[in-house]
Amino acid sequence: MDNGQQEKLYAGARLRRLRRELGLSQAEFADTLGISASYLTLLERNQRPVTARVLLALAESHDVDVRAFAAESDRQTLSDLTEALGDPVLKGAELDQRDIRELADAHPRAAEAMARLFQAYREAQGNAAELASRLADGAASPAGSLLPLETVRDALDNAQNHFPQLEEAADALREAAHLDELGRTQGMHDYLRRQHGAAVRVYDDSVMGGTLRRFDFHARKLLLSELLSPAGKDFQTALTMVLLDCADVLDAVTARAALPDPVTARLLRANLAGYTAASLLMPYDDFHQAAEAAGYDAEALSHRFSVSYEQAAHRLTTLNRPTRRGIPFFLMRIDQAGNVTKRFGGGVIPFARSGGGCPRWPVHDAFRMPERTHTHHVELPDGSAYVSMTRVAARPLPGGGAALQAIVLGCEARHAGRLALKPSSGTPVGIGLTCRLCERTDCAQRAFPPLQRSLRIEPHTRPVAPFAFS
């Protein structure tokens, strides 16, 4: 609020993204909102604020969550800009959070471009340092870039991790394979034999040579490792069906993302194939209905659909069909070293691109007690609150053993009433995205000072935090 009047809402980028998700032209989208195409153009260019009337039309015509839509600027973009503007190269700019928010609101494309430029700059710095180190050690070339991973994650987030074309392709494939009539496992095996003349065989790890799945085109066999659980075998079989029969739609959705290089495009295509396989095993309407009935309990859903906990949790992040939405979830997969090996949902909670997590968010407790789901109620410095559910999943390793990974599934705290699992405490714990982006002065667990603050050295004073800063 400012001078007793509500701040105007400029949401051009969000309107444009929603229109593209719906597959509508400007004229068609404007017609559903009861406005002219020229007025919609002004809205999408942030030359006019979004009015309450337009918000109501969005809710009535497209089942849009008005409260979420009218929220502040895209949180991931704000986080990326904050990190970029904290870099020493831009220290003299002296932009505060209000400046950053105004930039993201008024010029969302420019803000996103600036964030991407900083990511590329940071990646170039890392590669240069790695190259210098390797040259000093007599090595030939730098390590592979992480940028394709970040680019693919952003592409999935931009689509809200929901792809209607892939859902339709999975529905058609399920019908063609008669999975509802024959049963899932038998139906998939029969389909591969009937459609591709391929048999499904399970072999021990020594025969598989450390791989979990391999399709032998010459022998017409799908080879699966005995290390896979029954749910894992079904997922790999479904993935094979998708790769064989949904190539055209995978290529089309990948091409639409317009990614910068072939490696990143192939990585996105692999992710989209996994998405389609999950849709084949967990049909959207059935899964959405079951999720509502089970209070979005991923463990209960994993039993209901005979899938792994991670697969059920991952599927919960995709329930973003405009006419039948689920709770908007984010997901992170974290290994025991603290590396984030998978993440979705940057539109729900922002993610730090680097610098580790927050020690005040005790997701690693799950490794000490892997037999249960750990729930937490947390709050970021901007006041946004979240509920998270963390459970450990085991991934089989060639040669025996398993790698433990924590699956963190979370949503905004305002959805807590719809969840079967709730935090034991109603008072949220204050956390940050990462120490470099957090400006809490009273954190005794801080590892680094924030990027945008200068250290203050006072020899005769020891604050609670290990670093004092301005």
Side-chain angles (χ1 to χ4, degrees):
M1 304 292 284
D2 185 18
N3 297 328
Q5 294 183 349
Q6 187 174 6
E7 293 183 4
K8 295 179 179 179
L9 171 65
Y10 291 90
R14 279 164 276 176
L15 277 173
R16 187 166 54 250
R17 184 164 57 234
L18 175 61
R19 175 172 61 81
R20 289 173 177 171
E21 289 171 4
L22 296 171
L24 300 177
S25 66
Q26 278 194 322
E28 291 169 336
F29 190 43
D31 186 56
T32 66
L33 302 179
I35 59 177
S36 67
S38 59
Y39 184 59
L40 176 61
T41 300
L42 295 175
L43 292 175
E44 290 191 353
R45 292 178 178 175
N46 282 323
Q47 293 176 348
R48 294 289 188 276
V50 178
T51 64
R53 177 171 164 269
V54 173
L55 287 174
L56 288 175
L58 285 169
E60 292 174 0
S61 302
H62 303 293
D63 192 30
V64 169
D65 184 338
V66 172
R67 182 174 174 178
F69 188 86
E72 292 183 350
S73 310
D74 180 78
R75 292 168 180 168
Q76 186 62 57
T77 300
L78 289 176
S79 173
D80 291 345
L81 286 176
T82 301
E83 185 175 359
L85 293 168
D87 191 273
V89 173
L90 298 174
K91 188 174 182 180
E94 296 183 352
L95 299 177
D96 58 21
Q97 282 297 313
R98 183 171 182 176
D99 295 323
I100 293 172
R101 190 173 294 109
E102 288 178 353
L103 171 62
D105 280 337
H107 305 287
R109 287 185 175 179
E112 185 178 351
M114 182 175 178
R116 288 187 178 183
L117 184 62
F118 174 73
Q119 290 174 39
Y121 160 74
R122 186 193 65 199
E123 190 71 20
Q125 276 192 319
N127 283 343
E130 177 70 13
L131 177 59
S133 174
R134 284 175 166 258
L135 288 174
D137 294 338
S141 62
S145 170
L146 289 177
L147 194 57
L149 292 174
E150 292 291 341
T151 303
V152 168
R153 288 167 177 172
D154 287 344
L156 296 173
D157 278 345
N158 289 339
Q160 295 184 308
N161 201 24
H162 179 69
F163 300 90
Q165 279 185 278
L166 301 183
E167 299 283 354
E168 293 172 4
D171 289 343
L173 186 55
R174 185 184 311 105
E175 184 176 353
H178 307 294
L179 300 191
D180 296 331
E181 305 167 23
L182 300 175
R184 190 172 77 187
T185 303
Q186 187 61 47
M188 291 192 297
H189 289 194
D190 286 355
Y191 179 81
L192 285 173
R193 185 180 301 108
R194 182 177 68 252
Q195 191 72 15
H196 298 283
V200 180
R201 297 288 183 265
V202 177
Y203 293 99
D204 62 37
D205 185 45
S206 62
V207 174
M208 294 298 294
T211 62
L212 298 177
R213 166 183 54 86
R214 185 168 72 250
F215 190 80
D216 188 330
F217 283 90
H218 177 71
R220 309 308 296 175
K221 285 196 300 186
L222 171 60
L223 288 64
L224 300 176
S225 171
E226 65 177 1
L227 297 177
L228 290 167
S229 65
K233 292 184 179 74
D234 276 357
F235 182 81
Q236 297 299 333
T237 305
L239 184 56
T240 299
M241 291 172 60
V242 168
L243 291 171
L244 292 174
D245 291 285
C246 300
D248 289 345
V249 67
L250 291 173
D251 290 341
V253 177
T254 301
R256 192 179 305 122
L259 296 179
D261 60 82
V263 171
T264 307
R266 285 196 295 271
L267 183 59
L268 175 62
R269 191 181 189 278
N271 277 266
L272 296 177
Y275 177 106
T276 312
S279 181
L280 182 63
L281 301 179
M282 295 169 277
Y284 191 102
D285 290 334
D286 292 347
F287 192 81
H288 179 271
Q289 182 178 356
E292 286 282 334
Y296 291 86
D297 183 341
E299 184 178 11
L301 291 168
S302 72
H303 296 308
R304 165 70 176 79
F305 288 88
S306 299
V307 296
S308 70
Y309 180 87
E310 181 179 351
Q311 289 165 0
H314 190 172
R315 184 60 167 149
L316 284 173
T317 70
T318 71
L319 299 182
N320 292 305
R321 181 180 291 172
T323 56
R324 198 172 188 184
R325 291 185 186 275
I327 293 176
F329 280 103
F330 66 86
L331 181 144
M332 292 188 294
R333 187 178 66 194
I334 306 173
D335 67 19
Q336 294 186 78
N339 300 303
V340 178
T341 59
K342 178 189 287 186
R343 65 165 173 80
F344 298 104
V348 180
I349 187 173
F351 294 106
R353 302 284 184 177
S354 60
C358 177
R360 293 167 62 98
W361 189 3
V363 295
H364 281 77
D365 285 353
F367 289 113
R368 295 198 297 271
M369 293 176 283
E371 69 281 357
R372 69 181 184 89
T373 301
H374 300 252
T375 58
H376 301 104
H377 188 189
V378 297
E379 183 180 78
L380 291 177
D382 65 3
S384 55
Y386 303 88
V387 173
S388 68
M389 298 159 284
T390 307
R391 190 174 184 86
V392 166
R395 179 170 56 85
L397 294 174
L404 299 182
Q405 297 176 312
I407 309 299
V408 184
L409 182 69
C411 64
E412 292 181 274
R414 62 191 177 92
H415 298 297
R418 299 170 64 186
L419 301 177
L421 299 175
K422 296 178 174 61
S424 57
S425 172
T427 304
V429 174
I431 67 168
L433 295 179
T434 182
C435 290
R436 294 291 196 187
L437 299 179
C438 177
E439 300 191 0
R440 296 185 187 277
T441 59
D442 59 348
C443 179
Q445 296 172 270
R446 177 180 288 282
F448 304 99
L451 286 168
Q452 291 187 296
R453 295 289 180 264
S454 300
L455 281 174
R456 188 172 69 238
I457 309 301
E458 298 178 358
H460 299 287
T461 301
R462 175 59 166 87
V464 172
F467 304 97
F469 45 88
S470 60

